[in-house]
Amino acid sequence: MTGTLLGLDIGSSSVKACLVDAESGRVVAQATSPEEEMAIAAPQAGWAEQHPDLWWEHVRRCIDTIRSQKPAELKASKAIGIAYQMHGLVLVDREGSPLRASIIWCDSRAVALGERAFKALGEEHCLKRLGNSPGNFTAAKLAWVKENEPQILQKAAYFMLPGDYIALKLSGQFGTTPSGLSEAILWDFERSTPAAFLLEEFGLSPALIPPITPNCGIFSTVRAEVARELGLAEGTPITYRAGDQPNNALALNVLEPGEIAANAGTSGVIYGVTQALGVDKRSRVNNFLHVNHTDAHPRVGILMCINGTGSCYRWAKQTLAPTGSSYAEMNSLAEQSPIGSRGVTVLPYGNGAERTLGNALVGASISGIDLNTHTRSDLLRATQEGIVFALNYGLEIMRAMGLAPTRVRAGAANMFQSALFRETFATITGVPLELYSTDGSEGAARGAGIGVGMFSTQEAFRGLTKQGEVEPNSAARAATTEAYARWREVALKSL
């Protein structure tokens, strides 16, 4: 089991790369690019775009950084795994060149088209077959291009997801996965095929779907000229692709029914694994094929997402914190305010339509401020509490669907670096929170090892390090529950 595994994580904020030693499971080298967040273009309100070649440029920079640190180990990579921001639409011509900027996950322009299809096809029919409303996902974004930019669609050979595009740049081969099609809302759960009936409703050709390859397994290899440029071995297999949240679950060894993962980075997510498709009749959470799904052993991921986690806390840093403050200093300031932030309530939205709120565009807000008494600390604590409470609101929906978490696993990163955030999360959800030292690029590397057959799923998590565990604080339960009830009332009034 000698050699290394290369994992790539294509986010909307940055690209990360990680080289993992296959035998020990330990990280050999890692890189992030750019140092500051990548720009998201918003040509109109509610729109969000990034050019696919921006991601490729930062993939090249990350791999170049790793090559400068560990050239021999990089050359010894036995497989490559790719995680990526979900739901993005990439349109390419027959040469694989992008025809427009990618319409990314937090773009809201296709909401009305998705809702129209949901009603036309029948809500129960969609939920039974697609697991979701077509909503604002990749299929609806493709329909938006058809209606608004027909000249672009006429030139398109295929639509792709962000990770499919990076695999194309590495290998020169077009392809997507069943899990990817499910996140595009183009997978028929009932028939285990692409959802032809939704394509027909949108007036889209099935020929736009690229060849379908497994989520996990050898489906392409790195072409010679790219291998020379990046310092990889020619023919290195690409063996794993997954959206960022299913991949985050894999990175935390959340693969079996009843297991739960959480993330609070650019977006805030709770992701639980089940054995069978279950739906929320209001389609406020999403169902996708999990990375380890097979027809013989079905695994469905239930995903709850709030768009504005990173945006909300970054806005607080830029607007509410003292100039030059670090996030650690902000967290310390927030801890000076008591539970409930002395009555201040923050809704951490304002970054596109929110699925848990029925695809409503409610915007971010701060309420309950007393100009004579409230301080910066109250506002910063209310921001953290608002994000936790939004996550818990989504978890309540998932519990109503039958998910019964006994513990939650999260990476010791982003908002979970804050002790206040961790304790508030464990206390309001009522379940222990386990923290691990891992990230999406590391998960993609482990997925690559599974896909190339270097080790079993159980062996893949050798080297995964548990950083700690946070139990619910019974002494803080009553005050936290009271603060959440106030937050929930404000949130529901915003609809």
Side-chain angles (χ1 to χ4, degrees):
M1 200 189 298
T2 59
T4 58
L5 300 160
L6 177 63
L8 304 172
D9 183 11
I10 317 304
S12 51
S13 298
S14 65
V15 171
K16 296 179 181 179
C18 180
L19 202 60
V20 171
D21 178 76
E23 184 172 4
S24 67
R26 300 294 183 186
V27 173
V28 174
Q30 52 195 157
T32 300
S33 182
E35 293 183 4
E36 300 294 328
E37 293 186 2
M38 283 189 287
I40 296 175
Q44 295 187 33
W47 291 22
E49 298 182 352
Q50 287 178 326
H51 199 281
D53 286 339
L54 178 67
W55 310 328
W56 177 240
E57 174 61 27
H58 290 296
V59 166
R60 293 167 59 203
R61 291 184 187 182
C62 282
I63 295 177
D64 192 56
T65 298
I66 287 178
R67 179 170 56 179
S68 69
Q69 299 170 0
K70 300 285 183 179
E73 289 84 349
L74 179 65
K75 192 85 168 184
S77 296
K78 302 301 183 185
I80 299 172
I82 303 169
Y84 58 89
Q85 50 174 296
M86 298 174 73
H87 317 310
L89 172 67
V90 181
L91 283 166
V92 296
D93 63 19
R94 296 204 172 275
E95 284 68 49
S97 298
L99 294 168
R100 70 174 326 280
S102 173
I103 303 174
I104 66 170
W105 61 278
C106 53
D107 187 290
S108 302
R109 75 185 71 180
V111 168
L113 285 169
E115 288 302 313
R116 189 170 73 195
F118 194 36
K119 290 179 171 56
L121 291 167
E123 296 182 6
E124 287 191 15
H125 183 71
C126 282
L127 294 175
K128 179 182 178 183
R129 299 279 293 278
L130 302 172
N132 307 277
S133 158
N136 189 40
F137 297 104
T138 314
K141 291 168 182 171
L142 186 59
W144 183 92
V145 174
K146 174 181 175 289
E147 290 202 2
N148 294 274
E149 299 174 349
Q151 73 283 4
I152 296 289
L153 193 64
Q154 287 170 5
K155 298 176 184 177
Y158 297 112
F159 83 87
M160 311 187 85
L161 296 156
D164 299 333
Y165 181 72
I166 297 304
L168 170 66
K169 294 294 287 185
L170 287 165
S171 68
Q173 296 181 37
F174 300 101
T176 193
T177 64
S179 180
L181 289 175
S182 76
E183 73 178 73
I185 317 302
L186 278 173
W187 187 257
D188 189 333
F189 281 83
E190 192 174 77
R191 299 184 182 180
S192 293
T193 61
F197 71 94
L198 182 59
L199 287 170
E200 183 178 348
E201 173 62 27
F202 282 139
L204 296 166
S205 170
L208 287 166
I209 298 177
I212 300 171
T213 61
N215 302 322
C216 230
I218 299 173
F219 45 78
S220 61
T221 59
V222 177
R223 50 184 169 170
E225 61 270 30
V226 173
R228 286 193 297 270
E229 177 192 353
L230 299 180
L232 295 163
E234 180 181 346
T236 303
I238 303 165
T239 62
Y240 172 83
R241 266 173 296 175
D244 50 10
Q245 300 309 330
N247 177 71
N248 181 61
L250 178 136
L252 293 163
N253 194 13
V254 170
L255 295 168
E256 298 304 321
E259 296 176 341
I260 308 285
N263 180 41
T266 303
S267 58
V269 168
I270 295 179
Y271 186 101
V273 180
T274 64
Q275 197 165 359
L277 181 65
V279 296
D280 169 55
K281 290 187 176 180
R282 294 169 60 187
S283 198
R284 295 169 295 173
V285 297
N286 311 121
N287 294 275
F288 307 116
L289 296 180
H290 197 29
V291 294
N292 60 336
H293 169 87
T294 65
D295 288 341
H297 299 284
R299 295 292 181 268
V300 177
I302 303 177
L303 183 150
M304 183 289 305
C305 177
I306 58 171
N307 296 337
T309 299
S311 300
C312 186
Y313 210 48
R314 183 177 67 249
W315 181 89
K317 185 174 188 290
Q318 294 168 345
T319 311
L320 304 176
T323 302
S325 295
S326 66
Y327 283 115
E329 289 167 336
M330 286 172 63
N331 295 340
S332 296
L333 271 174
E335 290 172 1
Q336 295 174 21
S337 179
I339 295 170
S341 309
R342 297 198 297 162
V344 179
T345 298
V346 169
L347 298 187
Y349 302 120
N351 192 30
E354 292 291 346
R355 191 74 168 176
T356 58
L357 302 180
N359 274 332
L361 282 161
V362 300
S365 66
I366 305 174
S367 61
I369 297 176
D370 184 326
L371 299 175
N372 296 309
T373 60
H374 285 129
T375 67
R376 182 179 275 135
S377 294
D378 300 318
L379 298 177
L380 292 175
R381 182 178 188 118
T383 302
Q384 291 205 28
E385 288 182 338
I387 295 167
V388 171
F389 293 161
L391 289 169
N392 187 61
Y393 179 75
L395 184 57
E396 286 181 345
I397 297 169
M398 297 168 75
R399 281 177 157 147
M401 295 168 61
L403 204 66
T406 56
R407 61 189 55 246
V408 174
R409 293 174 183 163
N414 301 313
M415 296 297 298
F416 282 105
Q417 293 180 85
S418 164
L420 185 159
F421 189 91
R422 295 193 299 265
E423 182 172 302
T424 305
F425 183 93
T427 300
I428 196 60
T429 61
V431 296
L433 172 67
E434 295 180 354
L435 296 163
Y436 290 85
S437 177
T438 189
D439 66 12
S441 62
E442 187 176 332
R446 296 182 189 279
I450 296 170
V452 79
M454 288 191 75
F455 37 62
S456 68
T457 302
Q458 291 73 26
E459 294 169 332
F461 299 97
R462 185 186 295 111
L464 181 63
T465 305
K466 185 176 177 180
Q467 296 289 300
E469 185 167 331
V470 181
E471 295 285 340
N473 184 343
S474 58
R477 176 71 179 174
T480 306
T481 301
E482 181 181 347
Y484 173 64
R486 184 182 70 247
W487 178 93
R488 195 176 190 278
E489 182 180 1
V490 173
L492 294 180
K493 281 181 179 178
S494 70
L495 298 179

